[in-house]
Amino acid sequence: MQIVLALQNSLVENLLKVWAKISTGKREVLNKLVKVTLPFHNFKNLREKLHTIADEIGSEHWMTTDEKALNTIVPGVTSAIPFTGLFLKDLEITFTQPDYINENEIRNQWEKIVNFRKQQLIAGIIRRFRSFQAPCRSYDFRQDENLYHLIFDLGTDP
């Protein structure tokens, strides 16, 4: 998502000679990605794609009925790197809900009714995010020693 946003930056979009060298097919792919990452309706398109991918990688049993209804099949997709900000925003909104259902009517601690729906929502958001971690464990990332030492040595004096 960050790459798509960076490519939409006005300074980058004004590089007309560079954009002219990019094939029509690749620009169409970028346009599709732009449509998926539009922020309208609380990132509805992105959420739908993430739900679809989560379903394909085996997290369907963690989804609510509402979340399952959003799924559309995307053939050949087996994993994704989700936009963390989306999950954090969902957690932030969920945490603003009251911890107890009858908070305004509580006279003593025995009258508290725990808001289990809030806890279910929090657990669902975390499970959904974690469902994207499992496929990433199979990625074969190799450490670039030169880059590692370059970055590691940035904070030390020569």
Side-chain angles (χ1 to χ4, degrees):
M1 180 157 167
Q2 296 300 330
I3 294 170
V4 173
L5 291 174
L7 291 172
Q8 290 179 288
N9 181 296
S10 62
L11 296 173
V12 175
E13 285 185 338
N14 289 334
L15 299 172
L16 300 177
K17 290 181 183 178
V18 174
W19 286 109
K21 292 180 180 181
I22 297 173
S23 71
T24 305
K26 290 189 177 171
R27 281 191 299 224
E28 287 175 9
V29 168
L30 177 61
N31 289 335
K32 287 179 184 177
L33 289 171
V34 167
K35 287 178 185 175
V36 169
T37 59
L38 288 173
F40 304 121
H41 304 290
N42 196 14
F43 292 96
K44 180 180 183 263
N45 296 339
L46 181 59
R47 289 177 185 279
E48 287 177 355
K49 293 296 181 194
L50 287 174
H51 286 295
T52 300
I53 293 166
D55 185 34
E56 286 190 6
I57 60 177
S59 64
E60 182 179 13
H61 60 281
W62 292 335
M63 296 176 154
T64 65
T65 306
D66 295 337
E67 291 168 339
K68 288 178 185 176
L70 291 174
N71 286 339
T72 55
I73 302 299
V74 180
V77 175
T78 56
S79 64
I81 299 173
F83 180 52
T84 307
L86 206 57
F87 291 95
L88 293 175
K89 183 71 172 170
D90 290 349
L91 283 172
E92 179 185 7
I93 290 168
T94 305
F95 274 115
T96 62
Q97 295 181 8
D99 291 329
Y100 301 99
I101 292 176
N102 59 342
E103 226 167 10
N104 296 334
E105 304 165 13
I106 297 174
R107 290 185 292 267
N108 64 54
Q109 71 180 38
W110 305 109
E111 294 180 356
K112 292 181 179 179
I113 299 174
V114 175
N115 185 352
F116 284 106
R117 179 68 182 138
K118 174 182 177 178
Q119 306 311 318
Q120 288 174 328
L121 289 170
I122 291 169
I125 293 165
I126 293 169
R127 280 191 202 113
R128 223 177 11 248
F129 184 78
R130 290 192 64 195
S131 72
F132 289 99
Q133 291 177 330
C136 297
R137 291 188 182 109
S138 65
Y139 295 161
D140 186 22
F141 292 116
R142 294 197 172 93
Q143 182 172 314
D144 182 329
E145 293 298 325
N146 294 330
L147 182 61
Y148 173 80
H149 290 297
L150 176 71
I151 294 171
F152 185 73
D153 295 338
L154 283 176
T156 59
D157 292 327

